[in-house]
Amino acid sequence: MRGIDTQVRQIRRRVFKEIANLAYTSENLKDDAEELPYKIVGAQAPAYRDSIYRERAVVTERIRMAMGLSLRPENVPVHLTQGLDESDIDQKYYEPPLVQVIPSACNACPVNRYIVTDKCMGCMAHPCREVCPKEAVSMINGKSHIDPEKCIRCGKCKAICPYDAISHQVRPCALACGVGAIESDDQGRAVINEEKCVSCGQCMVNCPFGAIADKSQIFQLIRAIQSGKKIIAQVAPAFVGQFGPGVTPDMLKTALKQLGFADVYETAIGADIGAAAEAEHYVHAVATGELPFLLTSCCPSWSMLAKKFFPETIDNISHALTPMVATARRIKAEHPEARVVFIGPCASKKLEASRKSVRSDVDFVITFEELAGMFDAKGIELKGVRAEDKLEDATGAGRGYGVAGGVASAIEACIREYYPDVEVNIEHAESLAECRKMLMLAKAGKKNGCLIEGMACPGGCIAGAGTNIAIPQAMKEVNAFKSAAEKRIPDISAAEEEKALMNK
């Protein structure tokens, strides 16, 4: 649904805008926050649910999460603004769980069932009945009927129906989750099993009811800017095109400075550093037989997947700094007094920044979608911004990290350029389901000698949970920006910088 201006997207964008407005203009924070659900959901007929009261209940929980607070319990009276004082600060790390299902928003969709639709023609052959191994299909009033008590959901009836009259209904959030983290509560509503979840956010963007949300730091980020502290932004490689057609990288940099950021860097700088470092790692470890294979480390959900479900592969995960961390350390080496915000497409980067080993490097993480809310609140129309700055920090290799396959191809290009005698084998997987298959093959010894890139989101970072535009358009924009880079790949000396940054 990315790139489509659905009501789910509209309400998310509105909430981010209003939370930013609170930070920018409110003189009575608690009262203004209490008023927000009524401001967003008026007294007219409900727009998309059965009542305005339910709509307000959902918006209330969205407001809390956008302020960095957790959902309220359903069985205990908790005020909308409870805990608000603790969030009215200029520094706050995400508290797990990061991604949550809003119970009042969940439609309790069917988990997994086959039903006969009105397209059934009641044909004489009724092959659906003949292929059913459990005799769950019968003819009632001349039409096929599936007994849910007998059905084992094998799908044979659907596959054989000549009219495509049998529908397989699966929860969209569960279908998007490649680790089986979506389960059900006692009322049939979706819940997230935190033991399995890797915080990719794909459930969030695939729920057509907007019942899943993640926490935000936009309020605290604005407070930090207002405090007068030096805040420097780094923008992930997937940023190109995310803020509308015709909005160039240079225009975005200027607009970010209008928001109050002291400077703007490309996160692709850190990607360049990582590409050189991982090329060296592959040559010295995998090519020599010291390691059977090497897993890239830039996607946090991919790394979490390996650590949670395939712990025996932990030693094969690259130790290179992720692009976000490498860029943050570069920034703080040049500006020791600055705070750093990572602006990207990704939900799981929020948790990466909350790790104790990363907290001193990255102070805030917001998504492109959240940043759009800040622009809305400030009334900044990016199409009308006159570019006064240049954003030209990185090579084409680093800029390509935003698209699936781009990480592996950047590392491969470095190996072929600087280690021409080393043979390199590249594999990449996108989506958690495909990543699991890849790790199973690697575990079984089927991928020895390979450099393996994993991306939790299908399409890569351009398909992250915090993006604004359709994936094909994003891919086109990123590839064009990659081609416009002055240099194709980083100098091999970047690997030495990575070692220096590792010690900071």
Side-chain angles (χ1 to χ4, degrees):
M1 293 184 285
R2 251 73 61 85
I4 303 173
D5 196 24
T6 66
Q7 288 181 315
V8 170
R9 179 182 175 182
Q10 290 171 19
I11 200 70
R12 283 177 59 85
R13 183 82 167 254
R14 177 73 186 279
V15 168
F16 293 138
K17 175 185 176 181
E18 295 298 345
I19 292 300
N21 265 329
L22 284 183
Y24 287 128
T25 64
S26 177
E27 296 180 0
N28 191 330
L29 185 59
K30 285 194 174 181
D31 286 350
D32 290 343
E34 291 282 0
E35 184 185 346
L36 266 190
Y38 297 86
K39 182 179 179 181
I40 295 173
V41 181
Q44 305 302 315
Y48 47 88
R49 297 189 189 272
D50 51 359
S51 74
I52 58 173
Y53 309 107
R54 187 179 178 194
E55 288 185 5
R56 285 185 190 138
V58 174
V59 165
T60 297
E61 301 306 324
R62 285 197 168 280
I63 290 168
R64 285 183 60 82
M65 296 191 74
M67 289 287 292
L69 301 169
S70 291
L71 297 179
R72 298 177 297 174
E74 290 187 279
N75 58 349
V76 178
V78 174
H79 225 259
L80 184 161
T81 54
Q82 184 166 320
L84 187 61
D85 289 339
E86 290 80 359
S87 279
D88 188 13
I89 53 180
D90 64 5
Q91 182 81 45
K92 181 175 181 174
Y93 291 101
Y94 290 104
E95 299 170 358
L98 172 68
V99 182
Q100 293 182 278
V101 179
I102 301 171
S104 55
C106 182
N107 197 52
C109 300
V111 175
N112 182 11
R113 72 177 182 184
Y114 287 85
I115 60 170
V116 180
T117 71
D118 59 5
K119 291 196 292 183
C120 177
M121 300 295 290
C123 62
M124 182 184 297
H126 45 70
C128 54
R129 188 178 73 176
E130 305 304 331
V131 299
C132 180
K134 295 295 181 180
E135 298 182 349
V137 183
S138 59
M139 302 297 288
I140 298 178
N141 296 326
K143 304 284 186 180
S144 293
H145 172 77
I146 298 173
D147 184 340
E149 298 299 321
K150 294 181 179 180
C151 179
I152 60 171
R153 294 172 289 280
C154 64
K156 291 182 178 180
C157 57
K158 176 177 174 59
I160 201 70
C161 177
Y163 297 104
D164 192 27
I166 298 176
S167 172
H168 183 204
Q169 292 185 314
V170 183
R171 279 185 171 166
C173 57
L175 188 63
C177 180
V179 294
I182 304 296
E183 299 176 358
S184 299
D185 65 10
D186 56 3
Q187 296 183 48
R189 300 173 302 190
V191 291
I192 298 173
N193 183 333
E194 298 301 328
E195 296 299 314
K196 296 180 179 179
C197 180
V198 295
S199 300
C200 68
Q202 288 301 304
C203 58
M204 181 169 66
V205 293
N206 281 281
C207 174
F209 285 91
I212 306 176
D214 62 341
K215 294 175 181 173
S216 175
Q217 285 179 316
I218 56 173
F219 188 90
Q220 293 78 25
L221 174 59
I222 294 170
R223 282 286 187 257
I225 294 172
Q226 291 170 333
S227 73
K229 294 182 175 69
K230 187 175 186 177
I231 313 295
I232 294 179
Q234 55 163 306
V235 289
F239 81 92
V240 197
Q242 290 291 329
F243 298 92
V247 177
T248 67
D250 296 344
M251 291 166 68
L252 178 64
K253 182 173 182 177
T254 300
L256 285 167
K257 286 189 172 183
Q258 290 177 3
L259 278 180
F261 293 102
D263 205 349
V264 183
Y265 285 60
E266 287 185 64
T267 304
I269 295 171
D272 282 334
I273 293 170
E278 292 193 76
E280 184 179 78
H281 193 177
Y282 179 90
V283 169
H284 293 156
V286 180
T288 61
E290 181 183 330
L291 285 179
F293 53 86
L294 184 66
L295 307 178
T296 58
S297 61
C298 53
C299 174
S301 292
W302 156 252
S303 297
M304 289 171 67
L305 171 70
K307 292 171 183 176
K308 282 189 175 187
F309 295 90
F310 300 89
E312 60 279 347
T313 67
I314 289 177
D315 291 339
N316 298 92
I317 300 173
S318 170
H319 297 144
L321 298 174
T322 66
M324 177 180 78
V325 175
T327 306
R329 291 192 181 182
R330 160 82 77 88
I331 292 170
K332 290 196 172 182
E334 297 175 358
H335 306 274
E337 76 286 9
R339 292 189 186 181
V340 174
V341 54
F342 172 82
I343 302 172
C346 183
S348 64
K349 282 292 181 184
K350 295 179 177 183
L351 283 188
E352 181 187 344
S354 297
R355 296 174 188 163
K356 290 182 179 180
S357 61
V358 181
R359 283 187 177 189
S360 60
D361 303 313
V362 181
D363 301 280
F364 302 95
V365 173
I366 64 169
T367 65
F368 301 141
E369 185 182 31
E370 291 164 351
L371 177 61
M374 292 175 65
F375 283 132
D376 289 345
K378 272 295 194 181
I380 296 175
E381 288 283 346
L382 273 79
K383 290 181 181 179
V385 170
R386 181 178 178 181
E388 298 175 357
D389 304 273
K390 290 289 186 182
L391 194 62
E392 48 188 9
D393 308 315
T395 74
R399 289 177 175 179
Y401 265 50
V403 176
V407 178
S409 64
I411 299 168
E412 180 183 16
C414 289
I415 293 172
R416 297 198 184 282
E417 178 72 20
Y418 300 119
Y419 309 96
D421 296 331
V422 175
E423 182 180 347
V424 56
N425 299 302
I426 297 294
E427 293 279 0
H428 90 269
E430 50 187 288
S431 85
L432 286 176
E434 292 303 312
C435 285
R436 288 192 74 166
K437 292 177 184 177
M438 182 66 73
L439 288 171
M440 289 176 67
L441 291 170
K443 178 183 175 181
K446 304 292 186 181
K447 298 297 175 182
N448 286 353
C450 289
L451 169 70
I452 305 173
E453 171 201 317
M455 289 285 188
C457 300
C461 303
I462 54 172
T467 53
N468 295 324
I469 63 175
I471 297 168
Q473 180 62 27
M475 183 181 297
K476 178 181 176 181
E477 298 280 358
V478 170
N479 287 336
F481 191 48
K482 172 183 175 180
S483 299
E486 291 185 5
K487 291 181 63 177
R488 184 176 63 89
I489 61 173
D491 295 332
I492 194 61
S493 59
E496 294 304 314
E497 180 180 0
E498 203 265 353
K499 293 172 186 176
L501 294 174
M502 285 279 284
N503 296 323
K504 287 189 180 294

